[in-house]
Amino acid sequence: MPSAPAHTAEEARLLGAMPVDPMDDIELRSVQLQYPNQRGSIVGQCDLRRVPTDKGDILVAVQGDTTKPAIVTYHDLGLNYASSFAGFFNFPSMRSLLDNFCVYHVNAPGQEEGAPTFPEEYVYPTFDELGAQMLFVMSHFNLKSIIGLGVGAGANILARFALANPDKVGALCLINCSSTQAGWIEWGYQLLNTRNLRSKGMTQGVLDYLMWHHFGRNPEERNLDLVQLYKSNFERSINPVNLAMLIDSYIKRTDLNIARTPSGSPQTTASLKMPVLNITGALSPHIDDTVTFNGRLVPEKTNWMKISDCGLVLEEQPGKLAEAFRLFLQGEGYAPTFSPHAKNHTTTTNYNINNVNNNNVNNNQEFDKLNGNGAGSGGGGGGGGGCVVSGAATSDNGNLPVSATTGAAIRITENPLPENVAC
């Protein structure tokens, strides 16, 4: 079949088309993104330090200027600082976070890539002891107060540290945090996993369980590149014996023993005294754990958020998580404009709050203006406890001086509590 003849320059002009041949090498070679949206790695951006503790040395990766306020991260099962937080801290709107903060990525003992295998007689720290190691980290870097960012098992560890040392934690952002001890089903599955990891290494059963733990059901229906990346990490980057010890410590965790005290009653039980942003994904298997955790926290200082279309929030919805984290920090008086799009910008975002507090539901209450002083509604910057935060990007006169990241309306939270709650 004869090929169609190429248009002459005159024919192309008349047809409203450009000549065919020059299109091969035009434009695309010079297109560059100012903030490439790629997962990348944060290994080269971090200063690795070995911090001595009473239970042995742990690896801490320092990212940013150490003179700035401190954010301490803690990873989940089967991950380490590089595999857990690389995608999130390489997200464009999070890179400018380092202009205002220094991030200290804490690794659980023996979970970093290339870690030597612990001997059989090694006694792995309990979760309370892992939390207590934060004191050594803070002393080593001369930190007075931290902001915690934890995922899964790491969230539980940071919550324990905050309970024991409330004066050393300014705020907590906890993702998929469990506040209870392991149930029988979880205990049985994880006990089998630890046995397989010790005797056979990373088996298919252990791999499937880790994928479910992070992505929820049907991970094969999600981003295939991300799924393969995590499978490869579990198979090649984590020492299976060391991971078995961490999982064993995780299933032996104790209950946090916290409870919500009704408003006006004397505080008779322990609870987290600092503001808490309690987050989960709509496809996560840990939603019920976060709802239980939320019901045990002080409502005036707690926000519960369920981010749509994801199980692994850090990787699948980094933009929504970054926006929520930024607003949370702004509400506490930190870094009023560290978004790269928020400089000298008149665009604002309106946020309505359904404040569930003392049986008083106000569906139209708005945040007070945040000017870096930590002013917010509902008892403490960042909003009242147990509330719904739903935002729509607008160019009208809003009350929150932050830039909108998208022009479309977004809803990233739901209320896990009944509308009428006796607080």
Side-chain angles (χ1 to χ4, degrees):
M1 180 177 180
S3 59
H7 296 300
T8 64
E10 181 63 16
E11 289 173 335
R13 186 184 65 79
L14 294 175
L15 292 173
M18 294 181 66
V20 174
D21 294 339
M23 284 292 289
D24 295 340
D25 299 315
I26 256 181
E27 294 293 340
L28 294 180
R29 287 189 295 182
S30 63
V31 173
Q32 294 182 353
L33 295 177
Q34 183 178 2
Y35 295 98
N37 187 9
Q38 58 185 4
R39 190 178 191 280
S41 174
I42 57 176
V43 176
Q45 306 169 25
C46 296
D47 179 17
L48 302 183
R49 307 277 188 90
R50 302 295 303 190
V51 177
T53 74
D54 59 342
K55 298 295 180 180
D57 293 354
I58 59 174
L59 179 69
V60 178
V62 183
Q63 184 179 9
D65 184 353
T66 55
T67 63
K68 302 294 178 64
I71 293 176
V72 172
T73 71
Y74 216 116
H75 58 86
D76 201 356
L77 301 177
L79 301 174
N80 52 46
Y81 84 94
S83 54
S84 184
F85 296 102
F88 184 59
F89 281 97
N90 270 319
F91 193 75
S93 61
M94 286 303 295
R95 292 182 187 178
S96 55
L97 177 76
L98 298 182
D99 294 338
N100 298 80
F101 295 93
C102 182
V103 185
Y104 299 82
H105 302 283
V106 179
N107 283 272
Q111 304 307 305
E112 63 270 16
E113 187 171 353
T117 302
F118 287 130
E120 284 294 328
E121 63 273 13
Y122 178 77
V123 179
Y124 203 86
T126 66
F127 264 44
D128 286 321
E129 291 170 339
L130 290 174
Q133 287 182 331
M134 296 299 103
L135 289 174
F136 294 90
V137 173
M138 293 186 67
S139 175
H140 183 86
F141 295 104
N142 195 28
L143 304 177
K144 304 302 181 184
S145 178
I146 64 171
I147 298 166
L149 173 60
V151 186
N156 186 279
I157 292 169
L158 289 179
R160 291 175 188 274
F161 174 70
L163 277 171
N165 304 274
D167 58 323
K168 296 184 181 300
V169 181
L172 285 174
C173 177
L174 304 178
I175 303 170
N176 293 335
C177 183
S178 172
S179 62
T180 60
Q181 63 185 14
W184 285 108
I185 295 178
E186 179 187 3
W187 181 85
Y189 270 113
Q190 296 285 34
L191 184 63
L192 180 62
N193 288 339
T194 59
R195 289 178 178 175
N196 287 334
L197 285 167
R198 284 189 171 99
S199 60
K200 303 176 184 178
M202 185 61 66
T203 64
Q204 186 62 44
V206 177
L207 181 61
D208 291 342
Y209 190 90
L210 288 173
M211 294 300 295
W212 172 86
H213 178 83
H214 292 286
F215 287 90
R217 296 184 182 276
N218 304 319
E220 64 279 355
E221 297 178 1
R222 316 281 265 286
N223 185 308
L224 294 181
D225 290 338
L226 187 61
V227 168
Q228 290 302 319
L229 180 68
Y230 269 69
K231 284 184 177 180
S232 176
N233 173 76
F234 295 144
E235 292 173 338
R236 302 177 185 177
S237 301
I238 297 297
N239 186 305
V241 175
N242 295 355
L243 175 58
M245 292 185 178
L246 176 60
I247 292 177
D248 186 61
S249 182
Y250 181 62
I251 61 176
K252 292 178 180 177
R253 69 187 185 274
T254 57
D255 192 286
L256 290 182
N257 289 320
I258 58 177
R260 174 181 296 182
T261 301
S263 179
S265 301
Q267 185 74 33
T268 58
T269 55
S271 188
L272 293 172
K273 295 178 170 55
M274 66 290 303
V276 179
L277 182 59
N278 181 21
I279 296 179
T280 189
L283 305 178
S284 170
H286 309 292
I287 294 177
D288 290 343
D289 288 334
T290 64
V291 172
T292 301
F293 182 46
N294 184 79
R296 306 173 78 180
L297 297 174
V298 178
E300 292 84 4
K301 296 184 178 181
T302 305
N303 289 309
W304 183 88
M305 302 178 66
K306 181 168 73 172
I307 299 182
S308 60
D309 301 323
C310 67
L312 187 63
V313 179
L314 282 166
E315 298 283 8
E316 296 183 280
Q317 292 289 0
K320 291 182 179 179
L321 178 60
E323 181 76 357
F325 190 45
R326 178 169 66 86
L327 293 175
F328 177 63
L329 294 180
Q330 283 182 326
E332 299 310 313
Y334 295 101
T337 54
F338 68 72
S339 170
H341 305 291
K343 299 177 180 178
N344 300 323
H345 207 292
T346 58
T347 301
T348 58
T349 306
N350 288 336
Y351 279 83
N352 293 327
I353 300 178
N354 300 332
N355 192 10
V356 182
N357 189 15
N358 297 326
N359 295 324
N360 179 23
V361 180
N362 181 0
N363 292 326
N364 296 312
Q365 184 181 0
E366 293 184 339
F367 270 121
D368 296 330
K369 177 173 286 189
L370 300 181
N371 55 11
N373 295 323
S377 68
C387 67
V388 175
V389 182
S390 58
T394 70
S395 57
D396 300 327
N397 292 327
N399 287 335
L400 196 60
V402 294
S403 129
T405 55
T406 118
I410 59 171
R411 179 178 178 83
I412 58 176
T413 65
E414 297 178 10
N415 195 345
L417 298 175
E419 287 300 313
N420 294 318
V421 179
C423 299

